[in-house]
């Protein structure tokens, strides 16, 4: 499907924004409708043959479409193309947090940058919890960082206990920097205790020892710019080699 960038169903494709194990995300626009540029997430054909995966993808898309928050990427439309479901998302000029991770070892974010990112994630989780939703698959591929250091989440859409995301958030926090302060280490340990320590994402956000800061946002933006330059260089080299 990656090579078929002229069009896909009702969309004109301009390139690939990202790829995961389950889906491919394209830079897309509705054919014949100006001003509809967005990100088209299509379940991979091999995955779409699994009924459970297909139904889960569709259910998450429909549930996530109900969310509206500055920290959450909006879902504009959903559909199906020859058995492969798709989600049309708000276009965000950003890179996935996974692109900011080195291939080997941990990223070396400052504590200010790491806590700023965690605060943004918790804001999104708190908004979803107010609608009775959890993320369910919180990982670096679903966390977007734009060139100004602002953070947005995508991939929401399951009903359940909002505390179920805490373990994923714990793993994320542990991966951001090798040297948290004792106060932050204690807070991260508290995430693993779930409701014994925090009543929900909002409680965890308000208890964050190192609050979000402009310094942290600036550092995240610099990291996103480096990742963008690296991606553009790799794309230019790939095109030159064709």
């Amino acid at each position: 499907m990656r090579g078929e960038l002229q069009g896909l169903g009702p969309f004109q494709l301009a390139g690939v924004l990202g790829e995961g194990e389950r889906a491919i995300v394209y830079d897309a626009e509705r054919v014949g409708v100006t001003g509809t540029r967005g990100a088209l997430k299509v379940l991979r054909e091999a995955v779409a043959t699994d009924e459970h995966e297909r139904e889960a993808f569709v259910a998450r898309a429909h549930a996530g479409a109900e969310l509206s928050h500055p920290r959450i990427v909006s879902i504009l439309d959903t559909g199906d193309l020859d058995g492969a479901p798709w989600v049309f998302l708000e276009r965000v000029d950003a890179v996935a947090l996974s692109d900011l991770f080195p291939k080997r070892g941990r990223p070396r974010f400052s504590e200010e940058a790491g806590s700023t990112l965690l605060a943004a994630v918790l804001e999104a989780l708190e908004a979803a919890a107010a609608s009775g939703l959890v993320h369910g698959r919180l990982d670096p591929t679903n966390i977007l960082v734009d060139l100004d250091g602002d953070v947005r989440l995508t991939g929401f859409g399951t009903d359940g206990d909002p505390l179920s995301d805490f373990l994923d958030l714990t793993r994320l926090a542990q991966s951001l920097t090798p040297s948290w302060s004792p106060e932050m280490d204690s807070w991260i340990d508290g995430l693993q205790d779930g409701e014994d320590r925090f009543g929900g994402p909002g409680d965890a956000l308000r208890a964050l020892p190192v609050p979000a800061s402009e310094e942290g946002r600036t550092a995240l933006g610099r990291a996103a710019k480096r990742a963008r330059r690296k991606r553009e260089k790799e794309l230019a080299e790939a095109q030159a080699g064709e």
Side-chain angles (χ1 to χ4, degrees):
M1 192 177 292
R2 184 172 180 172
E4 301 171 7
L5 292 182
Q6 292 77 23
L8 184 65
F11 297 98
Q12 182 73 27
L13 306 182
V16 176
L17 296 175
E19 297 187 53
E21 293 182 1
R22 295 181 176 84
I24 302 177
V25 182
Y26 296 98
D27 184 357
E29 186 172 13
R30 282 191 179 276
V31 175
V33 184
T34 58
T36 57
R37 192 88 175 255
L40 180 66
K41 184 175 183 178
V42 184
L43 196 64
R44 289 183 179 276
E45 294 177 1
V47 179
T49 59
D50 185 317
E51 183 176 357
H52 175 73
E53 287 283 356
R54 188 173 62 252
E55 290 179 352
F57 182 92
V58 172
R60 291 172 69 84
H62 288 169
E66 301 299 318
L67 296 175
S68 178
H69 189 271
R71 292 295 186 191
I72 298 174
V73 178
S74 298
I75 293 177
L76 305 177
D77 199 4
T78 62
D80 186 278
L81 184 67
D82 298 328
W86 54 261
V87 178
F88 194 44
L89 301 155
E90 170 192 7
R91 180 76 160 84
V92 180
D93 188 16
V95 295
L97 178 61
S98 55
D99 291 335
L100 275 58
F101 280 58
K103 291 185 177 180
R104 296 178 182 176
R106 295 180 177 181
R108 291 191 171 274
F109 291 128
S110 65
E111 182 164 88
E112 290 76 12
S115 62
T116 297
L117 187 142
L118 293 172
V121 171
L122 283 166
E123 286 179 30
L125 294 179
E126 182 180 26
S131 298
L133 296 177
V134 301
H135 193 285
R137 288 179 178 173
L138 186 62
D139 63 50
T141 64
N142 289 313
I143 300 171
L144 305 181
V145 181
D146 72 17
L147 305 189
D148 292 324
D150 286 323
V151 177
R152 307 277 296 278
L153 265 65
T154 185
F156 275 97
T158 58
D159 298 327
D161 185 347
L163 297 174
S164 66
D165 284 329
F166 274 14
L167 289 180
D168 286 339
L169 189 62
T170 300
R171 287 189 286 269
L172 174 65
Q174 292 170 339
S175 72
L176 292 176
T177 177
S179 54
W180 289 112
S181 64
E183 294 80 10
M184 281 295 296
D185 273 333
S186 176
W187 179 84
I188 293 169
D189 287 342
L191 292 177
Q192 300 181 74
D193 296 334
E195 58 188 306
D196 293 335
R197 178 76 175 271
F198 303 122
D203 288 344
L205 174 61
R206 287 180 282 276
L208 189 65
V210 180
S213 66
E214 186 60 31
E215 292 80 4
R217 194 170 74 93
T218 299
L220 290 172
R222 286 198 299 265
K225 289 173 184 175
R226 288 195 297 269
R228 172 63 59 82
R229 288 194 296 268
K230 180 180 178 182
R231 179 195 293 175
E232 291 174 346
K233 180 180 178 182
E234 291 173 346
L235 179 59
E237 291 174 347
Q239 290 175 339
E242 292 179 354

